[in-house]
Amino acid sequence: MAPNDSAQATDEATEPGAGRRKATRYLVPVAVAGVAAATIGLVPALAASGDPSLPKISAQQLIEKMAASDTQQLSGTMKISTDLGLPGLGSLGSFAPKGAGGSGTSASPDAKLTELASGTHTLRIAADGPDRQKVSILEDAAEYSLIRNGDDVWAYDSASNQAYHSQRAAAGAGKEHGRKAPGEGVPTTPKALADEFLKNVDPTTAVSVDGTAQIAGRDAYQLLIKPKQSGSTIGSVRVAVDAKTGVPLKFTLSPSAGGKAVVDAGFTKVDFSKPSASTFTFSPPKGAKVTEDNGRQKGASKPEQSLPGGLGSLGDAKNAKNSKVIGEGWTAIAEFDTGGKGIPKADESKGGGDAQKLLDSLGSKVSGKFGKGTVFTTRLVNALITDNGKVYVGAVTKDALVAAANSGK
């Protein structure tokens, strides 16, 4: 038995306002809640070659070790898999975002990285400080790469021979217009995923060290994060932390309903030496179509805007009226008013038929003191849209959503 098999629960790792931030993360356009939730997530469990014997460490000490890690240089290969219980993006047909399995191909990171919302993927990662990073998605006969080198951001899709170029100055200007820098906000490493959860640890959370493991040939402690509350769709989060560097090597999010992990991301190979400078250099191949993004393009694409037939009119929660949070911690539910009259019907003449079928297949009719509505479910984030236009979203069960709607009728 490994020295840390006995879990040591602690509530020491807390942060003020964590419950509010956790709820805010789920304020997403409901029509794309599955895709938005998937941007936090990613892979099949990686085989361990035995539990190494390591010095005993508390959960608080392990969290502090992660926070103190100054590792900025690494390279390696990751396996990434997401199972939200949604159809693959390739099955979405004409209303999938460009570059995400739908018609048309784009090298834009905002479009391509949505492919990580479902299925299994192999990624090659390299980093040399905050200004030099590269992520490549390896496919059967193609490769997609996103490279940041100083002020330049390049993306290249070998399947379509298309390239995308942006500069940080332009990306920064884009933020003034409500746009994110290319690829920003899409966690693609165990560390980024772990950070999303650790910053929201609060008194509703139990944290423990649950044994050891060997990941990508390296000894690691296993940090286990679990909600104390019932009603959450999240059963646990397990983070394998490199015993020497404090870098998270593997992240697994398991649902409370049991079964396959919703998100499982981890290194199969990792090297903490400095990557070659040539790793971060890029020039478009001859004949490649290059799109220059100055950060001020009108109609900058958002996933929800790719939905036809007016389904994007469900709106952005940031602009929602009378938004509030019901509950706290892992069972917090965001309530907001779209200002509409429930779910709009897709216009089939504008290609909305497939979108409507998808929504109908994901939704189930419910009723209560609040009236009537439809619950859209994934294995992680669920949403209730009432017929009078109110929306309730959270990583909670359907019953919890209905109870929240009844209490706020």
Side-chain angles (χ1 to χ4, degrees), residues 95 305-313 344-353 355-356:
F95 65 93
Q305 292 174 345
S306 299
L307 295 171
L311 292 176
S313 67
K345 290 293 182 182
D347 186 344
E348 293 193 14
S349 67
K350 296 182 180 180
Q356 191 65 54

Side-chain angles (χ1 to χ4, degrees), residues 66-79:
M66 294 168 62
S69 176
D70 60 356
T71 300
Q72 297 192 46
Q73 298 173 335
L74 64 81
S75 58
T77 303
M78 290 176 53
K79 281 287 186 180

Side-chain angles (χ1 to χ4, degrees), residues 8-11 201-208 224-228 237 330:
Q8 302 169 41
T10 178
D11 294 329
V201 167
D202 63 16
T204 67
T205 308
V207 185
S208 63
L224 184 63
I225 306 168
K226 298 181 70 173
K228 292 181 179 180
V237 172
W330 298 77

Side-chain angles (χ1 to χ4, degrees), residues 2-332:
N4 296 299
D5 283 348
S6 297
Q8 302 169 41
T10 178
D11 294 329
E12 294 177 281
T14 62
E15 185 175 341
R20 292 192 298 274
R21 285 193 299 278
K22 178 177 284 292
T24 302
R25 285 212 317 280
Y26 298 123
L27 291 175
V28 294
V30 176
V32 290
V35 173
T39 63
I40 65 170
L42 308 167
V43 282
L46 306 175
S49 59
D51 298 342
S53 178
L54 295 172
K56 194 172 183 179
I57 190 171
S58 71
Q60 183 66 28
Q61 289 171 328
L62 186 54
I63 291 173
E64 290 172 355
K65 185 178 183 69
M66 294 168 62
S69 176
D70 60 356
T71 300
Q72 297 192 46
Q73 298 173 335
L74 64 81
S75 58
T77 303
M78 290 176 53
K79 281 287 186 180
I80 294 183
S81 164
T82 308
D83 184 5
L84 284 163
L86 291 169
L89 290 177
S91 68
L92 300 187
S94 60
F95 65 93
K98 289 184 178 182
S103 58
T105 305
S106 170
S108 169
D110 291 339
K112 189 68 177 181
L113 292 180
T114 59
E115 292 187 6
L116 301 181
S118 63
T120 299
H121 305 272
T122 299
L123 272 63
R124 192 162 53 226
I125 308 286
D128 183 10
D131 297 324
R132 290 151 68 93
Q133 299 133 11
K134 181 177 181 178
V135 177
S136 297
I137 304 174
L138 309 181
E139 300 169 341
D140 290 340
E143 179 175 326
Y144 176 85
S145 293
L146 175 62
I147 307 111
R148 171 169 287 169
N149 191 352
D151 291 337
D152 285 300
V153 176
W154 280 99
Y156 177 66
D157 182 9
S158 68
S160 61
N161 198 26
Q162 293 190 42
Y164 166 100
H165 180 236
S166 177
Q167 290 189 313
R168 280 197 169 187
K175 285 185 178 181
E176 296 173 5
H177 294 75
R179 297 186 66 230
K180 290 184 176 181
E184 184 180 338
V186 182
T188 53
T189 66
K191 181 182 186 306
L193 290 163
D195 286 347
E196 286 296 311
F197 280 84
L198 287 173
K199 72 183 182 183
N200 291 293
V201 167
D202 63 16
T204 67
T205 308
V207 185
S208 63
V209 177
D210 190 32
T212 63
Q214 192 168 81
I215 306 296
R218 297 186 65 89
D219 293 347
Y221 293 102
Q222 298 203 74
L223 186 70
L224 184 63
I225 306 168
K226 298 181 70 173
K228 292 181 179 180
Q229 304 157 298
S230 61
S232 174
T233 55
I234 299 174
S236 67
V237 172
R238 185 179 294 271
V239 183
V241 182
D242 186 77
K244 184 177 181 180
T245 66
V247 173
L249 300 175
K250 187 170 182 286
F251 173 97
T252 304
L253 189 157
S254 299
S256 57
K260 183 180 178 182
V262 175
V263 172
D264 201 6
F267 285 100
T268 56
K269 296 179 181 178
V270 66
D271 183 351
F272 291 105
S273 60
K274 181 182 176 73
S276 168
S278 62
T279 303
F280 309 102
T281 60
F282 177 81
S283 296
K286 184 178 180 181
K289 178 183 177 182
V290 178
T291 299
E292 291 285 347
D293 183 358
N294 62 10
R296 292 187 172 88
Q297 296 181 21
K298 288 186 177 181
S301 98
K302 295 181 180 179
E304 66 270 24
Q305 292 174 345
S306 299
L307 295 171
L311 292 176
S313 67
L314 284 170
D316 188 328
K318 291 180 180 178
N319 301 318
K321 296 183 291 186
N322 303 320
S323 62
K324 66 178 182 180
V325 174
I326 300 172
E328 63 178 358
W330 298 77
T331 55

